[in-house]
Amino acid sequence: MHNINMAAPIPEFVVSLSSDKQILSQRSISDALTKSSKLKAEVAQEKKKEEKAEQEIDAEWEVEMLKEDGKLIVESESSEEHVSWGSVKIYLVVLGGRYWMIFWPTFTFATVFECGIEILQP
């Protein structure tokens, strides 16, 4: 019973299982909500949490938006246009696969060789 509010529009029915994994009931979500007080309480609790989270996010956004002199200022959400060497190294190692130390010299040689052949053609 996780995120019932989010998943409710998707399934056609709900299956209730016992602790020994046997099916107790199978019905639509609306029937399950009307007949199960435990499920209804959990849905209500989830709605309260969602509303509280939305209010907190809205409050934080308003605080960020209002700066000195009452002007609305939105900070840039993009970071510096810089990629760290560690990120590039991980990318290159993963791109080369398990044998990256063989792949990259071979790739470099093949690229240089191909460019040389193109230059030498009449």
Side-chain angles (χ1 to χ4, degrees), residues 11-68:
E12 295 179 16
F13 61 90
V14 176
V15 177
S16 299
L17 300 174
S18 66
S19 59
D20 60 346
K21 310 294 188 233
Q22 293 192 6
I23 297 175
L24 294 177
S25 66
Q26 178 178 338
R27 53 187 152 198
S28 69
I29 292 178
S30 58
D31 289 342
L33 287 172
T34 56
K35 294 181 180 177
S36 174
S37 59
K38 184 178 179 182
L39 185 61
K40 192 183 296 184
E42 186 170 334
V43 168
Q45 184 180 14
E46 282 184 18
K47 283 184 181 179
K48 286 179 185 177
K49 285 181 182 178
E50 286 176 10
E51 289 171 0
K52 183 179 178 184
E54 286 177 12
Q55 289 173 353
E56 289 176 359
I57 290 171
D58 289 342
E60 289 175 8
W61 177 253
E62 288 175 7
V63 169
E64 286 182 19
M65 295 280 290
L66 293 174
K67 297 282 183 169
E68 294 178 22

Side-chain angles (χ1 to χ4, degrees), residues 68-86:
E68 294 178 22
D69 300 328
K71 294 180 183 177
L72 293 177
I73 300 172
V74 179
E75 294 182 26
S76 174
E77 292 183 8
S78 63
S79 63
E80 295 178 23
E81 295 179 8
H82 173 75
V83 179
S84 68
W85 168 245

Side-chain angles (χ1 to χ4, degrees), residues 106-118:
T106 304
F107 175 78
T108 304
F109 174 76
T111 303
V112 170
F113 182 75
E114 189 268 334
C115 289
I117 294 296
E118 282 187 15

